[in-house]
């Protein structure tokens, strides 16, 4: 099942549970605006390549659109649509006044020089200028993009405007209007969600075993925070494969290893190799998928042995796998809840930019914790009350709030 099919399936289930009619269902499933742009890139050797870029604004009813930008070779319009739709429900669920959006360019950023990456990012942003802005649509980092990407996007937009507009993107470096705490916010939120799940099960983090798929922006810091909280992180991986140590991995050294230029965690001294497929099936307490969509599917779901799956990635579990996991008593803390810390602190960053008044890291982290715990409690209460999965409960809250906003605003004309 593709990400877009999964997103549609999940929406249909929430619509059914909420008792919304077909017209409403259509309104909620149809992206408001979609744009495909050509991104001509002059390579360093002088030849020109034309890449394909996308931006989808799935819904704008609760506020400006908000969502990440992905640079990945497999990115296409359907994937961007799915990710944009999940952003709509996520923003509503965690209680930030945004609609959902997503964007991307079909490219492998690792194959571009730094100068090529900068030219491509700036050209992509300049193509989006009619669509984005602090009151319209606010991009942020996702797979294959980072703080530097956001800095180039902000600069490009500002040069076109004739004045500095920090609030046009979030996830920027702190030196140019970024927020303290944004870099670790998604991972911190994953950790808070995991702790809520443990607490409800009468467990504490001490010596809980953890496996993390994807050792990027989200996965590496999730592994670090869980390690710091007393968990034993036994396996982590990236696109090239993984490393395993039943006694616990040195998460900080692994991250330093990558920062100092190593291309992968694979082969880190003192660890055993493990494939991405094997990592997902490890007998651990907590599994954190933090890479791409669709990695837990019909074929491997019955072999998953983790007690809790806390979704750092968007859409890592397909609906047929969800069914199997539920039957096997595995608690899935769904993406739109577990990874919503990123958009929560992006919201804080945007508010700080608009007010030109900046908060301390403690203030950011404290507010994030309150928002995440509140959202978790709402989801878990509804799941218990309606006897549905955490995913369906989370979707019902997100979809229900967007439907309510549509109803209150009315249909124009
Ligand atoms: P990233 O590019 O920083 O890291 C991605 C990681 O996944 C890398 O370690 C990469 O090697 C690995 N990876 C890529 N393909 C893989 C594969 N086929 N198998 C195994 N590993 C693979 O991206 P990120 O920002 O950390 O995003 C990871 C996930 O979290 C995505 O699903 C993204 O949408 C989601 N997410 C990110 C944020 C954020 O703030 N960055 C917020 C919410 C959700």
């Amino acid at each position: 099942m593709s990400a877009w099919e999964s997103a549609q399936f999940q929406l249909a289930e929430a619509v059914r549970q909420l008792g919304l009619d077909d017209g409403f269902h259509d309104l909620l499933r149809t992206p408001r605006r979609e744009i495909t742009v050509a991104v001509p890139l002059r390579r360093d050797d002088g030849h020109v390549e034309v890449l394909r870029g996308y931006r989808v604004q799935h819904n704008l009813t609760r506020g400006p659109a908000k969502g990440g930008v992905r640079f990945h070779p497999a990115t296409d319009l359907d994937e961007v649509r799915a990710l944009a739709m999940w952003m709509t429900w996520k923003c509503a669920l965690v209680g930030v006044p945004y609609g959902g959006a997503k964007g991307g360019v079909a490219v492998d950023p690792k194959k571009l020089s730094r100068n090529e990456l900068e030219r491509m990012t700036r050209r992509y942003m300049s193509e989006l200028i009619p669509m984005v802005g602090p009151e319209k649509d606010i991009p942020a980092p996702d797979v294959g993009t980072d703080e530097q990407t956001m800095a180039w996007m902000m600069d490009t937009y500002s040069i076109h405007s004739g004045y500095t507009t920090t609030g046009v993107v979030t996830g920027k470096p702190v030196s140019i209007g970024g927020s303290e705490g944004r870099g670790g916010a998604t991972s911190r939120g994953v950790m808070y969600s995991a702790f809520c799940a443990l607490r409800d099960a009468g467990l504490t983090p001490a010596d809980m075993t953890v496996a993390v798929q994807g050792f990027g922006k989200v996965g590496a810091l999730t592994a670090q925070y869980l390690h710091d909280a007393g968990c034993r992180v036994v396996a982590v991986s990236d696109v090239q494969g993984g490393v395993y140590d039943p006694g616990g991995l040195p998460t900080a050294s692994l991250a330093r290893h990558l920062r100092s230029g190593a291309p992968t965690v694979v082969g880190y001294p003192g660890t055993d190799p493990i494939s991405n497929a094997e990592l997902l099936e490890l007998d651990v307490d907590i599994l954190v998928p933090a890479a791409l969509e669709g990695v837990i599917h019909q074929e491997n779901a019955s072999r998953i042995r983790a007690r809790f799956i806390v979704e750092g990635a968007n859409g890592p579990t397909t609906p047929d796998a969800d069914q199997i996991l539920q039957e096997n008593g595995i608690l899935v803390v769904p993406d739109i809840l577990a990874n919503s810390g990123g958009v929560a602190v992006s919201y804080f960053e945007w508010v700080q930019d608009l007010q030109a008044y900046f908060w301390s890291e403690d203030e950011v982290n404290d507010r994030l914790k309150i928002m995440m715990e509140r959202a978790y409690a709402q989801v878990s209460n509804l799941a218990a009350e309606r006897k549905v999965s955490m995913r369906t409960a989370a979707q019902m809250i997100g979809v229900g709030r967007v439907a309510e906003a549509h109803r209150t605003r009315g249909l124009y004309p």
Side-chain angles (χ1 to χ4, degrees), residues 27-355:
L27 196 62
L28 294 170
R29 80 171 151 215
T30 311
R32 291 287 95 86
R33 295 175 188 147
E34 303 181 341
I35 182 171
T36 299
V37 296
V39 186
L41 166 66
R42 189 180 304 284
R43 301 294 299 256
D44 292 342
D45 66 5
H47 85 277
V48 173
E49 262 172 47
V50 182
L51 305 170
R52 216 156 244 278
Y54 309 93
R55 187 79 186 165
V56 172
Q57 296 173 349
H58 170 261
N59 195 286
L60 299 149
T61 305
R62 298 180 66 261
K66 183 91 191 81
V69 172
R70 178 172 290 198
F71 292 166
H72 190 277
T75 291
D76 62 16
L77 189 54
D78 264 358
E79 181 189 63
V80 174
R81 281 185 180 128
L83 292 162
M85 180 188 272
W86 284 324
M87 281 305 295
T88 300
W89 318 140
K90 188 187 303 184
C91 291
L93 171 63
V94 77
V96 294
Y98 293 132
K102 207 78 179 192
V105 179
V107 67
D108 184 349
K110 292 206 178 76
K111 295 199 173 134
L112 301 182
S113 71
R114 189 179 158 88
N115 284 336
E116 289 169 340
L117 195 57
E118 176 172 354
R119 287 198 289 276
M120 185 201 76
T121 303
R122 288 183 181 280
R123 183 59 188 248
Y124 169 64
M125 182 56 164
S126 68
E127 296 295 338
L128 295 189
I129 281 177
M131 251 184 128
V132 298
E135 318 81 13
K136 294 185 191 171
D137 180 358
I138 306 125
D142 191 76
V143 174
T145 57
D146 59 14
E147 285 193 345
Q148 181 60 67
T149 321
M150 294 305 117
W152 289 328
M153 290 178 76
M154 186 279 261
D155 185 69
T156 303
Y157 184 88
S158 298
I159 297 291
H160 278 257
S161 311
Y163 52 90
T164 297
T165 310
T166 52
V168 65
V169 294
T170 58
K172 301 177 294 294
V174 171
S175 59
I176 54 165
S179 176
E180 296 290 349
R182 174 61 183 90
T186 309
S187 313
R188 204 172 276 284
V190 173
M191 174 184 71
Y192 292 143
S193 308
F195 289 176
C196 288
L198 290 176
R199 193 197 48 214
D200 286 357
L203 299 167
T204 63
D207 222 30
M208 284 283 136
T209 52
V210 178
V212 181
Q213 185 194 43
F215 203 66
K217 294 186 297 297
V218 176
L221 282 175
T222 299
Q224 186 60 46
Y225 295 155
L226 290 174
H227 166 90
D228 293 347
C231 297
R232 188 151 42 97
V233 180
V234 299
V236 301
S237 68
D238 55 41
V239 65
Q240 298 192 36
V243 287
Y244 175 62
D245 182 348
L249 292 165
T251 47
S253 313
L254 273 164
R256 262 198 307 278
H257 181 60
L258 293 190
R259 274 200 304 275
S260 65
T264 172
V265 293
V266 178
Y268 187 80
T271 63
D272 294 329
I274 188 169
S275 70
N276 268 295
E278 289 165 338
L279 179 145
L280 294 172
E281 297 171 20
L282 281 174
D283 187 6
V284 288
D285 297 301
I286 304 172
L287 172 63
V288 181
L292 296 178
E293 303 93 62
V295 295
I296 302 173
H297 43 72
Q298 195 170 21
E299 277 73 49
N300 65 1
S302 59
R303 294 194 300 272
I304 304 281
R305 287 180 288 168
R307 202 161 155 192
F308 304 96
I309 298 177
V310 187
E311 296 184 334
N314 287 305
T317 312
T318 62
D320 31 23
D322 260 335
Q323 179 78 32
I324 298 168
L325 297 171
Q326 198 173 359
E327 281 161 17
N328 290 347
I330 297 169
L331 183 86
V332 179
V333 185
D335 45 10
I336 62 168
L337 172 61
N339 71 35
S340 63
V343 77
V345 177
S346 272
Y347 166 62
F348 300 160
E349 178 174 333
W350 178 74
V351 166
Q352 293 172 75
D353 286 339
L354 295 185
Q355 299 186 339

